Amino acid sequence: MSGVRDVGAHVEDMIDACEKILLFTQGLDDADILIETSPLWGSVLHHLVVMGEAAKHVPPAIQARRPQINWRRIAGMRDKLVHYYFGVDAGLVINAVRQSVPEALPQLRSLLVELDA
């Protein structure tokens, strides 16, 4: 197994992570999401990391097709979650869950359709 994946696979990873974040947090208020001892908290952070890692594998020319997606911010959040795990900004996580992820999901889906065409 070479480990080389096409761009579409990385976009699919991002879509899957978005869908899981939205599914897991549906109907919950912010306080429920922010319980750091909850498995939900770890799951949300994990899927934000997946999104950021996958975003780093989408070439700039492809990213330019969806400028509405803040690719750099998604990748930057991954770096903060991985390298500064001890200082996770709860406000940024909630903003991602409530705003960034729902906004990015339809854009990622349309990009995948375009890539598959």
Side-chain angles (χ1 to χ4, degrees):
M1 183 169 170
S2 69
V4 176
R5 301 174 75 216
D6 68 10
V7 174
H10 295 293
V11 174
E12 286 175 346
D13 289 343
M14 293 180 75
I15 291 168
D16 183 59
C18 286
E19 290 173 343
K20 286 178 179 168
I21 289 168
L22 295 176
L23 176 67
F24 298 160
T25 60
Q26 183 178 7
L28 299 178
D29 62 24
D30 294 354
D32 293 329
I33 297 168
L34 295 174
I35 299 171
E36 291 186 16
T37 57
S38 164
L40 172 66
W41 175 252
S43 180
V44 168
L45 296 184
H46 168 75
H47 291 294
L48 290 171
V49 168
V50 168
M51 282 184 67
E53 185 62 29
K56 290 181 176 197
H57 293 279
V58 177
I62 303 295
Q63 291 180 2
R65 295 181 188 182
R66 293 299 181 279
Q68 308 90 331
I69 298 173
N70 194 332
W71 299 94
R72 186 174 175 161
R73 187 172 180 189
I74 292 169
M77 180 165 221
R78 175 256 180 229
D79 292 343
K80 287 180 183 175
L81 293 174
V82 169
H83 298 292
Y84 302 104
Y85 62 89
F86 49 85
V88 173
D89 184 330
L92 290 176
V93 173
I94 291 300
N95 183 61
V97 169
R98 300 293 187 212
Q99 185 174 351
S100 302
V101 168
E103 288 175 358
L105 184 55
Q107 295 296 322
L108 290 164
R109 286 178 175 154
S110 70
L111 177 59
L112 183 61
V113 168
E114 188 178 302
L115 292 171
D116 285 344

